[in-house]
Amino acid sequence: MGMKSIWDGKNLPPVGCFVLINLSSCGMREYEVVGYEVRKSVIEEEHRLGIFVVNILVKSRDGKATNCRFLDEVFPLDWRPEQ
């Protein structure tokens, strides 16, 4: 029996952990981190050596839906909006 890691909101969420993402159609939903995508920025001013964008690749619990999010659009499971 393996242990699931719980992401604390710091650094990158580990592959295999569950996170929350906000979907405009239905609000916050739980997704599993399945990997990362690293590429050069599409913003022309940021096309310098060493500037990259890291996207978080996620899939729904049932595995039917996949998504790609920036790190600031991915939240720990215990996240609550600031009041």
Side-chain angles (χ1 to χ4, degrees), residues 13 28 30 45-46 48 52 58 65 67 74 76:
M28 296 297 258
E30 200 171 303
E45 297 84 43
E46 294 180 357
R48 293 173 296 199
F52 294 91
V58 294
N67 213 308
V74 176

Side-chain angles (χ1 to χ4, degrees), residues 9-67:
K10 299 175 185 171
N11 302 313
L12 290 174
V15 171
C17 77
F18 289 93
V19 296
L20 295 175
I21 65 171
N22 190 16
L23 301 171
S24 61
S25 61
C26 55
M28 296 297 258
R29 291 288 182 251
E30 200 171 303
Y31 274 63
E32 181 181 358
V33 175
V34 294
Y36 310 101
E37 176 183 73
V38 180
R39 63 168 108 161
K40 290 191 178 222
S41 176
V42 295
I43 300 170
E44 192 160 326
E45 297 84 43
E46 294 180 357
H47 272 223
R48 293 173 296 199
L49 189 61
I51 303 291
F52 294 91
V53 174
V54 178
N55 290 316
I56 312 298
L57 304 176
V58 294
K59 71 174 179 179
S60 61
R61 278 210 175 255
D62 63 8
K64 294 181 180 179
T66 60
N67 213 308

Side-chain angles (χ1 to χ4, degrees), residues 28 75-76 78-83:
M28 296 297 258
F75 305 93
D78 62 355
W79 178 85
R80 298 292 176 261
E82 293 181 19
Q83 297 182 14

